[in-house]
Short mmCIF file of all heavy atoms in Angstrom, two decimals:
data_model
loop_
_atom_site.label_atom_id
_atom_site.label_comp_id
_atom_site.label_asym_id
_atom_site.label_seq_id
_atom_site.Cartn_x
_atom_site.Cartn_y
_atom_site.Cartn_z
N MET A 1 9.58 11.93 -15.26
CA MET A 1 8.22 11.99 -14.60
C MET A 1 8.44 12.80 -13.31
O MET A 1 8.04 12.38 -12.33
CB MET A 1 7.71 10.54 -14.31
CG MET A 1 7.42 9.77 -15.66
SD MET A 1 5.84 10.36 -16.35
CE MET A 1 4.67 9.57 -15.17
N ILE A 2 9.16 13.84 -13.34
CA ILE A 2 9.28 14.61 -12.19
C ILE A 2 8.06 15.27 -11.69
O ILE A 2 7.91 15.36 -10.52
CB ILE A 2 10.44 15.74 -12.57
CG1 ILE A 2 11.80 15.15 -12.84
CG2 ILE A 2 10.48 16.77 -11.26
CD1 ILE A 2 12.48 14.43 -11.83
N SER A 3 7.25 15.55 -12.62
CA SER A 3 6.08 16.29 -12.22
C SER A 3 5.16 15.44 -11.26
O SER A 3 4.45 15.96 -10.45
CB SER A 3 5.18 16.66 -13.44
OG SER A 3 4.95 15.52 -14.18
N SER A 4 5.14 14.16 -11.42
CA SER A 4 4.23 13.27 -10.54
C SER A 4 5.10 12.65 -9.46
O SER A 4 4.74 11.62 -9.01
CB SER A 4 3.66 12.13 -11.52
OG SER A 4 4.52 11.42 -12.02
N PHE A 5 6.17 13.29 -9.24
CA PHE A 5 7.23 12.72 -8.37
C PHE A 5 6.75 12.63 -6.86
O PHE A 5 6.67 11.55 -6.35
CB PHE A 5 8.40 13.60 -8.48
CG PHE A 5 9.56 12.84 -7.93
CD1 PHE A 5 9.82 11.57 -8.23
CD2 PHE A 5 10.55 13.52 -7.08
CE1 PHE A 5 10.93 10.86 -7.70
CE2 PHE A 5 11.71 12.91 -6.67
CZ PHE A 5 11.85 11.59 -6.82
N ARG A 6 6.52 13.77 -6.27
CA ARG A 6 6.01 13.72 -4.92
C ARG A 6 4.55 13.73 -4.72
O ARG A 6 3.87 14.69 -4.97
CB ARG A 6 6.61 15.00 -4.16
CG ARG A 6 8.11 14.99 -3.90
CD ARG A 6 8.49 16.30 -3.35
NE ARG A 6 9.97 16.48 -3.32
CZ ARG A 6 10.68 16.02 -2.18
NH1 ARG A 6 10.04 15.54 -1.09
NH2 ARG A 6 12.00 16.22 -2.20
N THR A 7 4.12 12.51 -4.40
CA THR A 7 2.74 12.30 -4.31
C THR A 7 2.32 11.92 -2.87
O THR A 7 3.18 11.33 -1.99
CB THR A 7 2.05 11.44 -5.33
OG1 THR A 7 2.50 10.09 -4.78
CG2 THR A 7 2.69 11.52 -6.60
N SER A 8 1.13 11.93 -2.48
CA SER A 8 0.69 11.44 -1.10
C SER A 8 0.88 9.96 -1.08
O SER A 8 0.80 9.28 0.08
CB SER A 8 -0.73 11.81 -0.86
OG SER A 8 -1.53 11.35 -1.97
N HIS A 9 1.08 9.34 -2.20
CA HIS A 9 1.25 7.81 -2.19
C HIS A 9 2.72 7.49 -1.62
O HIS A 9 2.99 6.39 -1.39
CB HIS A 9 1.07 7.26 -3.56
CG HIS A 9 -0.40 7.17 -4.00
ND1 HIS A 9 -1.27 6.43 -3.34
CD2 HIS A 9 -0.88 7.90 -4.98
CE1 HIS A 9 -2.35 6.64 -4.08
NE2 HIS A 9 -2.22 7.56 -4.97
N HIS A 10 3.59 8.45 -1.61
CA HIS A 10 5.00 8.23 -1.12
C HIS A 10 4.95 8.42 0.35
O HIS A 10 4.79 9.57 0.87
CB HIS A 10 5.99 9.08 -1.83
CG HIS A 10 6.37 8.61 -3.23
ND1 HIS A 10 5.98 9.22 -4.33
CD2 HIS A 10 7.11 7.54 -3.48
CE1 HIS A 10 6.51 8.52 -5.44
NE2 HIS A 10 7.21 7.55 -4.88
N VAL A 11 5.32 7.48 1.16
CA VAL A 11 5.42 7.43 2.57
C VAL A 11 6.76 7.11 3.06
O VAL A 11 7.38 6.20 2.34
CB VAL A 11 4.28 6.79 3.26
CG1 VAL A 11 2.81 7.44 2.85
CG2 VAL A 11 4.27 5.29 2.81
N PRO A 12 7.20 7.46 4.18
CA PRO A 12 8.45 7.05 4.70
C PRO A 12 8.35 5.49 4.99
O PRO A 12 7.34 4.93 5.51
CB PRO A 12 8.66 7.78 6.07
CG PRO A 12 7.67 8.89 6.01
CD PRO A 12 6.60 8.45 5.06
N PRO A 13 9.58 4.76 4.79
CA PRO A 13 9.53 3.31 5.12
C PRO A 13 9.27 2.96 6.52
O PRO A 13 8.70 1.96 6.85
CB PRO A 13 11.02 2.86 4.82
CG PRO A 13 11.50 4.04 3.81
CD PRO A 13 10.86 5.18 4.25
N SER A 14 9.43 4.04 7.49
CA SER A 14 9.12 3.69 8.82
C SER A 14 7.69 3.49 9.07
O SER A 14 7.35 2.90 10.08
CB SER A 14 9.59 4.99 9.68
OG SER A 14 9.09 6.13 9.19
N VAL A 15 6.77 4.03 8.16
CA VAL A 15 5.40 3.64 8.35
C VAL A 15 5.08 2.14 8.32
O VAL A 15 4.17 1.82 9.02
CB VAL A 15 4.59 4.42 7.12
CG1 VAL A 15 3.17 3.80 6.98
CG2 VAL A 15 4.68 5.79 7.26
N PHE A 16 5.96 1.49 7.70
CA PHE A 16 5.76 0.02 7.62
C PHE A 16 6.74 -0.70 8.66
O PHE A 16 7.01 -1.97 8.46
CB PHE A 16 5.94 -0.53 6.22
CG PHE A 16 5.09 0.26 5.22
CD1 PHE A 16 5.60 1.15 4.38
CD2 PHE A 16 3.72 -0.06 5.20
CE1 PHE A 16 4.88 1.80 3.45
CE2 PHE A 16 2.87 0.56 4.29
CZ PHE A 16 3.48 1.55 3.40
N GLY A 17 7.38 0.16 9.42
CA GLY A 17 8.33 -0.56 10.52
C GLY A 17 9.65 -0.89 9.79
O GLY A 17 10.28 -1.83 10.30
N MET A 18 9.96 -0.26 8.58
CA MET A 18 11.18 -0.70 7.94
C MET A 18 12.20 0.41 7.81
O MET A 18 11.79 1.67 7.97
CB MET A 18 10.72 -1.08 6.49
CG MET A 18 9.68 -2.06 6.26
SD MET A 18 10.37 -3.87 6.41
CE MET A 18 11.37 -3.97 5.11
N GLU A 19 13.37 0.08 7.50
CA GLU A 19 14.32 1.14 7.20
C GLU A 19 14.94 0.87 5.86
O GLU A 19 15.19 -0.36 5.54
CB GLU A 19 15.48 1.11 8.18
CG GLU A 19 15.71 2.29 8.98
CD GLU A 19 16.80 2.13 9.98
OE1 GLU A 19 17.93 2.24 9.54
OE2 GLU A 19 16.42 2.08 11.20
N ALA A 20 14.87 1.81 4.89
CA ALA A 20 15.40 1.69 3.62
C ALA A 20 16.85 2.13 3.43
O ALA A 20 17.11 3.19 4.11
CB ALA A 20 14.55 2.33 2.51
N ARG A 21 17.60 1.39 2.77
CA ARG A 21 19.02 1.96 2.47
C ARG A 21 19.02 3.05 1.54
O ARG A 21 18.03 3.34 0.96
CB ARG A 21 19.71 0.70 1.85
CG ARG A 21 19.86 -0.53 2.83
CD ARG A 21 20.59 -1.65 2.22
NE ARG A 21 22.01 -1.35 1.71
CZ ARG A 21 22.73 -2.25 1.07
NH1 ARG A 21 22.26 -3.37 0.67
NH2 ARG A 21 23.98 -1.90 0.74
N GLY A 22 20.11 3.79 1.47
CA GLY A 22 20.29 4.94 0.66
C GLY A 22 20.23 4.51 -0.93
O GLY A 22 20.32 3.38 -1.10
N CYS A 23 20.00 5.52 -1.71
CA CYS A 23 19.78 5.27 -3.01
C CYS A 23 21.12 4.76 -3.63
O CYS A 23 22.15 5.33 -3.41
CB CYS A 23 19.30 6.64 -3.78
SG CYS A 23 19.29 6.42 -5.59
N PRO A 24 21.04 3.72 -4.52
CA PRO A 24 22.31 3.21 -5.09
C PRO A 24 22.76 4.09 -6.10
O PRO A 24 23.96 3.89 -6.65
CB PRO A 24 21.96 1.84 -5.56
CG PRO A 24 20.60 2.00 -5.80
CD PRO A 24 19.91 2.97 -4.76
N PHE A 25 22.10 4.94 -6.66
CA PHE A 25 22.45 5.78 -7.85
C PHE A 25 23.11 7.13 -7.33
O PHE A 25 24.03 7.55 -7.90
CB PHE A 25 21.28 6.05 -8.77
CG PHE A 25 20.73 4.73 -9.26
CD1 PHE A 25 19.56 4.22 -8.82
CD2 PHE A 25 21.41 4.09 -10.33
CE1 PHE A 25 19.08 2.96 -9.17
CE2 PHE A 25 20.95 2.82 -10.73
CZ PHE A 25 19.78 2.33 -10.26
N CYS A 26 22.37 7.86 -6.50
CA CYS A 26 22.96 9.15 -6.07
C CYS A 26 23.24 9.18 -4.64
O CYS A 26 23.84 10.26 -4.20
CB CYS A 26 21.80 10.18 -6.36
SG CYS A 26 20.29 10.07 -5.24
N GLY A 27 23.06 8.14 -3.89
CA GLY A 27 23.53 8.13 -2.47
C GLY A 27 22.48 8.77 -1.50
O GLY A 27 22.87 8.79 -0.34
N SER A 28 21.55 9.31 -1.94
CA SER A 28 20.56 10.03 -1.00
C SER A 28 19.85 8.99 -0.18
O SER A 28 19.61 7.92 -0.42
CB SER A 28 19.40 10.81 -1.94
OG SER A 28 18.51 11.23 -1.07
N THR A 29 19.52 9.61 1.05
CA THR A 29 18.85 8.68 2.00
C THR A 29 17.39 9.15 1.99
O THR A 29 16.65 8.65 2.93
CB THR A 29 19.43 8.76 3.41
OG1 THR A 29 19.49 10.21 3.84
CG2 THR A 29 20.86 8.17 3.45
N SER A 30 17.04 10.02 1.18
CA SER A 30 15.65 10.52 1.04
C SER A 30 14.96 9.68 0.01
O SER A 30 14.81 9.93 -1.09
CB SER A 30 15.61 11.97 0.61
OG SER A 30 14.29 12.32 0.49
N VAL A 31 14.46 8.40 0.68
CA VAL A 31 13.70 7.50 -0.14
C VAL A 31 12.36 7.32 0.46
O VAL A 31 12.21 7.32 1.64
CB VAL A 31 14.50 6.21 -0.38
CG1 VAL A 31 15.91 6.33 -0.98
CG2 VAL A 31 14.68 5.48 1.03
N ALA A 32 11.41 6.98 -0.28
CA ALA A 32 10.08 6.82 0.25
C ALA A 32 9.39 5.54 -0.56
O ALA A 32 9.76 5.25 -1.59
CB ALA A 32 9.27 8.02 0.01
N VAL A 33 8.50 5.06 0.24
CA VAL A 33 7.81 3.92 -0.34
C VAL A 33 6.53 4.39 -1.08
O VAL A 33 5.62 5.31 -0.49
CB VAL A 33 7.29 3.01 0.76
CG1 VAL A 33 6.59 1.67 0.10
CG2 VAL A 33 8.48 2.42 1.55
N TYR A 34 6.38 3.91 -2.30
CA TYR A 34 5.22 4.21 -2.97
C TYR A 34 4.25 3.10 -2.78
O TYR A 34 4.38 1.97 -3.21
CB TYR A 34 5.45 4.39 -4.58
CG TYR A 34 4.20 4.56 -5.43
CD1 TYR A 34 3.75 5.80 -5.71
CD2 TYR A 34 3.47 3.47 -5.88
CE1 TYR A 34 2.63 5.96 -6.32
CE2 TYR A 34 2.32 3.53 -6.64
CZ TYR A 34 1.80 4.94 -6.68
OH TYR A 34 0.51 5.09 -7.45
N ALA A 35 3.29 3.35 -1.88
CA ALA A 35 2.33 2.31 -1.48
C ALA A 35 1.02 2.63 -2.24
O ALA A 35 0.21 3.50 -1.85
CB ALA A 35 2.12 2.35 0.08
N GLY A 36 0.90 1.95 -3.27
CA GLY A 36 -0.28 2.02 -4.08
C GLY A 36 -0.59 0.90 -4.88
O GLY A 36 -0.45 -0.26 -4.60
N PHE A 37 -0.87 1.15 -6.11
CA PHE A 37 -1.25 0.17 -7.02
C PHE A 37 -0.27 -0.89 -7.16
O PHE A 37 -0.32 -2.16 -7.09
CB PHE A 37 -1.58 0.66 -8.35
CG PHE A 37 -2.20 -0.31 -9.36
CD1 PHE A 37 -3.30 -0.96 -9.19
CD2 PHE A 37 -1.47 -0.44 -10.65
CE1 PHE A 37 -3.73 -1.94 -10.03
CE2 PHE A 37 -1.94 -1.21 -11.50
CZ PHE A 37 -3.05 -2.08 -11.30
N ARG A 38 1.04 -0.51 -7.43
CA ARG A 38 2.21 -1.26 -7.54
C ARG A 38 3.29 -0.80 -6.65
O ARG A 38 3.97 0.18 -6.99
CB ARG A 38 2.68 -1.54 -8.97
CG ARG A 38 1.71 -2.41 -9.81
CD ARG A 38 2.22 -2.54 -11.10
NE ARG A 38 1.30 -3.38 -12.05
CZ ARG A 38 1.33 -4.65 -12.09
NH1 ARG A 38 2.20 -5.34 -11.43
NH2 ARG A 38 0.48 -5.26 -12.83
N ASN A 39 3.56 -1.40 -5.56
CA ASN A 39 4.55 -0.85 -4.49
C ASN A 39 5.95 -0.86 -5.13
O ASN A 39 6.26 -1.89 -5.56
CB ASN A 39 4.33 -1.74 -3.24
CG ASN A 39 3.02 -1.75 -2.65
OD1 ASN A 39 2.28 -0.68 -2.57
ND2 ASN A 39 2.57 -2.98 -2.27
N HIS A 40 6.59 0.17 -4.67
CA HIS A 40 8.02 0.12 -4.87
C HIS A 40 8.59 1.29 -4.11
O HIS A 40 7.85 2.07 -3.52
CB HIS A 40 8.32 0.40 -6.43
CG HIS A 40 7.75 1.71 -6.96
ND1 HIS A 40 6.53 1.79 -7.36
CD2 HIS A 40 8.27 2.88 -7.06
CE1 HIS A 40 6.25 3.01 -7.82
NE2 HIS A 40 7.34 3.79 -7.52
N VAL A 41 9.96 1.44 -4.05
CA VAL A 41 10.58 2.41 -3.31
C VAL A 41 11.19 3.40 -4.41
O VAL A 41 11.59 3.00 -5.39
CB VAL A 41 11.78 1.83 -2.29
CG1 VAL A 41 12.57 2.92 -1.78
CG2 VAL A 41 11.21 0.98 -1.37
N SER A 42 11.01 4.61 -4.11
CA SER A 42 11.43 5.61 -4.99
C SER A 42 12.50 6.62 -4.16
O SER A 42 12.19 6.78 -3.04
CB SER A 42 10.42 6.62 -5.49
OG SER A 42 9.36 5.82 -6.10
N CYS A 43 13.56 6.99 -4.93
CA CYS A 43 14.42 8.03 -4.42
C CYS A 43 13.84 9.34 -4.64
O CYS A 43 13.41 9.66 -5.84
CB CYS A 43 15.77 7.85 -5.05
SG CYS A 43 16.93 9.22 -4.65
N MET A 44 13.72 10.13 -3.52
CA MET A 44 13.14 11.49 -3.80
C MET A 44 14.04 12.44 -4.42
O MET A 44 13.73 13.55 -4.55
CB MET A 44 12.49 11.90 -2.30
CG MET A 44 11.41 11.06 -1.78
SD MET A 44 9.96 11.24 -2.65
CE MET A 44 9.92 9.80 -3.68
N THR A 45 15.31 12.09 -4.48
CA THR A 45 16.20 13.01 -5.00
C THR A 45 16.56 12.93 -6.45
O THR A 45 16.43 13.92 -7.12
CB THR A 45 17.55 12.80 -4.19
OG1 THR A 45 17.36 13.17 -2.73
CG2 THR A 45 18.72 13.84 -4.71
N CYS A 46 16.76 11.63 -6.92
CA CYS A 46 17.05 11.55 -8.25
C CYS A 46 15.99 10.89 -9.10
O CYS A 46 15.95 10.83 -10.25
CB CYS A 46 18.47 10.72 -8.50
SG CYS A 46 18.22 8.94 -8.22
N GLY A 47 14.92 10.42 -8.41
CA GLY A 47 13.88 9.88 -9.04
C GLY A 47 13.93 8.30 -9.43
O GLY A 47 12.99 7.75 -10.02
N ALA A 48 15.00 7.71 -8.93
CA ALA A 48 15.14 6.25 -9.29
C ALA A 48 14.00 5.48 -8.51
O ALA A 48 13.67 5.76 -7.41
CB ALA A 48 16.56 5.71 -8.80
N ASP A 49 13.51 4.40 -9.33
CA ASP A 49 12.48 3.51 -8.58
C ASP A 49 13.04 2.28 -8.35
O ASP A 49 13.79 1.61 -9.33
CB ASP A 49 11.31 3.46 -9.64
CG ASP A 49 10.38 4.70 -9.61
OD1 ASP A 49 10.44 5.39 -8.57
OD2 ASP A 49 9.79 4.89 -10.53
N GLY A 50 12.77 1.56 -7.27
CA GLY A 50 13.09 0.23 -6.97
C GLY A 50 12.18 -0.77 -7.78
O GLY A 50 11.25 -0.31 -8.46
N PRO A 51 12.48 -2.09 -7.52
CA PRO A 51 11.68 -3.01 -8.21
C PRO A 51 10.23 -2.90 -7.85
O PRO A 51 9.95 -2.77 -6.53
CB PRO A 51 12.32 -4.36 -7.51
CG PRO A 51 13.72 -3.99 -7.12
CD PRO A 51 13.56 -2.65 -6.86
N VAL A 52 9.38 -3.11 -8.75
CA VAL A 52 7.91 -2.88 -8.48
C VAL A 52 7.27 -4.33 -8.20
O VAL A 52 7.67 -5.37 -8.76
CB VAL A 52 7.20 -2.39 -9.89
CG1 VAL A 52 5.72 -2.34 -9.68
CG2 VAL A 52 7.88 -1.01 -10.18
N GLY A 53 6.50 -4.20 -7.25
CA GLY A 53 5.75 -5.49 -6.85
C GLY A 53 4.62 -5.85 -7.43
O GLY A 53 4.11 -5.14 -8.20
N GLU A 54 4.13 -7.04 -7.17
CA GLU A 54 2.75 -7.53 -7.83
C GLU A 54 1.80 -6.64 -7.27
O GLU A 54 1.93 -6.07 -6.07
CB GLU A 54 2.60 -9.00 -7.49
CG GLU A 54 3.68 -9.92 -8.09
CD GLU A 54 3.58 -9.92 -9.62
OE1 GLU A 54 2.51 -9.92 -10.09
OE2 GLU A 54 4.60 -9.78 -10.27
N ARG A 55 0.60 -6.67 -7.79
CA ARG A 55 -0.66 -5.93 -7.44
C ARG A 55 -1.01 -6.49 -6.03
O ARG A 55 -1.09 -7.72 -6.01
CB ARG A 55 -1.73 -6.00 -8.48
CG ARG A 55 -2.83 -5.18 -8.15
CD ARG A 55 -4.07 -5.52 -8.92
NE ARG A 55 -3.83 -5.59 -10.34
CZ ARG A 55 -4.83 -5.59 -11.32
NH1 ARG A 55 -6.06 -5.77 -10.89
NH2 ARG A 55 -4.54 -5.61 -12.48
N GLY A 56 -1.20 -5.58 -5.18
CA GLY A 56 -1.64 -6.10 -3.83
C GLY A 56 -0.54 -6.63 -2.85
O GLY A 56 -0.88 -7.22 -1.79
N ALA A 57 0.71 -6.55 -3.32
CA ALA A 57 1.86 -7.15 -2.60
C ALA A 57 2.01 -6.30 -1.32
O ALA A 57 1.58 -4.97 -1.24
CB ALA A 57 3.01 -7.21 -3.39
N ASP A 58 2.72 -6.87 -0.33
CA ASP A 58 2.96 -6.01 0.96
C ASP A 58 3.98 -5.02 0.53
O ASP A 58 4.99 -5.23 -0.01
CB ASP A 58 3.49 -7.06 2.01
CG ASP A 58 3.58 -6.48 3.26
OD1 ASP A 58 4.00 -5.39 3.52
OD2 ASP A 58 3.10 -7.15 4.32
N PRO A 59 3.78 -3.79 0.98
CA PRO A 59 4.76 -2.68 0.68
C PRO A 59 6.10 -3.03 1.31
O PRO A 59 7.14 -2.51 0.90
CB PRO A 59 4.10 -1.44 1.34
CG PRO A 59 2.64 -1.75 1.46
CD PRO A 59 2.56 -3.22 1.68
N ARG A 60 6.15 -3.87 2.49
CA ARG A 60 7.35 -4.15 3.12
C ARG A 60 8.20 -4.99 2.17
O ARG A 60 9.47 -5.02 2.20
CB ARG A 60 7.17 -4.86 4.39
CG ARG A 60 6.65 -3.99 5.54
CD ARG A 60 6.30 -4.67 6.75
NE ARG A 60 4.99 -5.50 6.35
CZ ARG A 60 4.13 -6.01 7.40
NH1 ARG A 60 4.60 -5.94 8.66
NH2 ARG A 60 3.08 -6.59 7.09
N ASP A 61 7.66 -5.75 1.24
CA ASP A 61 8.37 -6.51 0.20
C ASP A 61 9.09 -5.60 -0.71
O ASP A 61 10.34 -5.87 -1.17
CB ASP A 61 7.46 -7.41 -0.65
CG ASP A 61 6.81 -8.60 0.25
OD1 ASP A 61 7.51 -8.79 1.27
OD2 ASP A 61 5.94 -9.20 -0.21
N ALA A 62 8.49 -4.45 -1.06
CA ALA A 62 9.11 -3.45 -1.90
C ALA A 62 10.34 -2.97 -1.26
O ALA A 62 11.41 -2.64 -1.89
CB ALA A 62 8.12 -2.28 -2.22
N VAL A 63 10.25 -2.63 0.09
CA VAL A 63 11.40 -2.12 0.80
C VAL A 63 12.56 -3.27 0.78
O VAL A 63 13.82 -2.82 0.63
CB VAL A 63 11.01 -1.73 2.24
CG1 VAL A 63 12.32 -1.23 2.98
CG2 VAL A 63 10.02 -0.61 2.28
N ALA A 64 12.15 -4.51 0.99
CA ALA A 64 13.13 -5.66 1.04
C ALA A 64 13.84 -5.62 -0.35
O ALA A 64 15.18 -5.96 -0.31
CB ALA A 64 12.44 -6.92 1.39
N ARG A 65 13.11 -5.50 -1.36
CA ARG A 65 13.70 -5.54 -2.70
C ARG A 65 14.59 -4.45 -2.88
O ARG A 65 15.74 -4.57 -3.52
CB ARG A 65 12.61 -5.67 -3.72
CG ARG A 65 11.92 -7.00 -3.92
CD ARG A 65 11.19 -7.04 -5.23
NE ARG A 65 10.08 -6.01 -5.19
CZ ARG A 65 8.85 -6.21 -4.61
NH1 ARG A 65 8.58 -7.20 -4.13
NH2 ARG A 65 8.10 -5.14 -4.76
N TRP A 66 14.26 -3.22 -2.48
CA TRP A 66 15.05 -2.10 -2.71
C TRP A 66 16.39 -2.37 -1.89
O TRP A 66 17.35 -1.84 -2.34
CB TRP A 66 14.31 -0.83 -2.07
CG TRP A 66 15.14 0.45 -1.98
CD1 TRP A 66 15.87 0.80 -0.90
CD2 TRP A 66 15.36 1.41 -2.98
NE1 TRP A 66 16.49 1.98 -1.08
CE2 TRP A 66 16.17 2.45 -2.46
CE3 TRP A 66 14.97 1.52 -4.21
CZ2 TRP A 66 16.56 3.55 -3.18
CZ3 TRP A 66 15.40 2.67 -4.93
CH2 TRP A 66 16.18 3.68 -4.52
N ASN A 67 16.32 -2.86 -0.70
CA ASN A 67 17.43 -3.06 0.18
C ASN A 67 18.45 -4.20 -0.32
O ASN A 67 19.47 -4.22 0.10
CB ASN A 67 17.04 -3.33 1.70
CG ASN A 67 16.50 -2.06 2.28
OD1 ASN A 67 16.81 -0.98 1.89
ND2 ASN A 67 15.70 -2.37 3.34
N SER A 68 17.98 -5.00 -1.19
CA SER A 68 18.74 -6.11 -1.75
C SER A 68 19.65 -5.52 -2.81
O SER A 68 19.25 -4.89 -3.80
CB SER A 68 18.01 -7.27 -2.17
OG SER A 68 17.31 -6.93 -3.29
N ARG A 69 21.01 -5.78 -2.71
CA ARG A 69 21.92 -5.31 -3.61
C ARG A 69 22.71 -6.60 -4.18
O ARG A 69 23.83 -6.79 -3.69
CB ARG A 69 22.80 -4.40 -3.06
CG ARG A 69 22.17 -3.06 -2.54
CD ARG A 69 21.43 -2.16 -3.63
NE ARG A 69 20.41 -1.30 -2.98
CZ ARG A 69 20.62 -0.10 -2.49
NH1 ARG A 69 21.76 0.36 -2.28
NH2 ARG A 69 19.63 0.49 -2.11
N PRO A 70 22.25 -7.14 -5.25
CA PRO A 70 22.98 -8.39 -5.80
C PRO A 70 24.32 -7.91 -6.32
O PRO A 70 24.55 -6.88 -6.89
CB PRO A 70 22.10 -8.83 -6.89
CG PRO A 70 20.72 -8.22 -6.65
CD PRO A 70 21.11 -7.01 -5.93
N GLU A 71 25.24 -8.83 -6.28
CA GLU A 71 26.56 -8.57 -6.99
C GLU A 71 26.42 -8.76 -8.33
O GLU A 71 25.66 -9.57 -8.98
CB GLU A 71 27.61 -9.60 -6.47
CG GLU A 71 28.01 -9.52 -5.07
CD GLU A 71 28.74 -8.19 -4.60
OE1 GLU A 71 29.52 -7.77 -5.64
OE2 GLU A 71 28.52 -7.70 -3.66
N VAL A 72 26.84 -7.67 -9.16
CA VAL A 72 26.70 -7.75 -10.61
C VAL A 72 28.12 -7.56 -11.20
O VAL A 72 28.87 -6.87 -10.68
CB VAL A 72 25.77 -6.62 -11.12
CG1 VAL A 72 24.40 -6.79 -10.69
CG2 VAL A 72 26.31 -5.21 -10.75
N ALA A 73 28.26 -8.19 -12.44
CA ALA A 73 29.49 -8.13 -13.08
C ALA A 73 29.57 -6.77 -13.74
O ALA A 73 28.70 -6.24 -14.25
CB ALA A 73 29.58 -9.22 -14.17
N GLU A 74 30.79 -6.17 -13.70
CA GLU A 74 31.00 -4.84 -14.24
C GLU A 74 31.25 -5.06 -15.78
O GLU A 74 31.63 -6.01 -16.31
CB GLU A 74 32.32 -4.17 -13.79
CG GLU A 74 32.28 -3.84 -12.32
CD GLU A 74 31.13 -2.77 -12.04
OE1 GLU A 74 31.00 -1.91 -12.97
OE2 GLU A 74 30.46 -2.74 -10.94
ZN1 ZN B 101 18.76 8.68 -5.99
#
């Protein structure tokens, strides 16, 4: 879905007074909050999307979910 990648719905996390961690997949720090129908954080470099929030959820929750990195078994 590269074609619909950069949209006006993507805004810097600082808009919400947040800082987002770098992308866990490609390491890019170019990440933006998709503040729209279902909020989530997207990596602007590789296209990875963070966990999607409930409809009408606070965009800051999306950033918090993106920033959380649970330990996973290899
Ligand atoms: Zn990435």
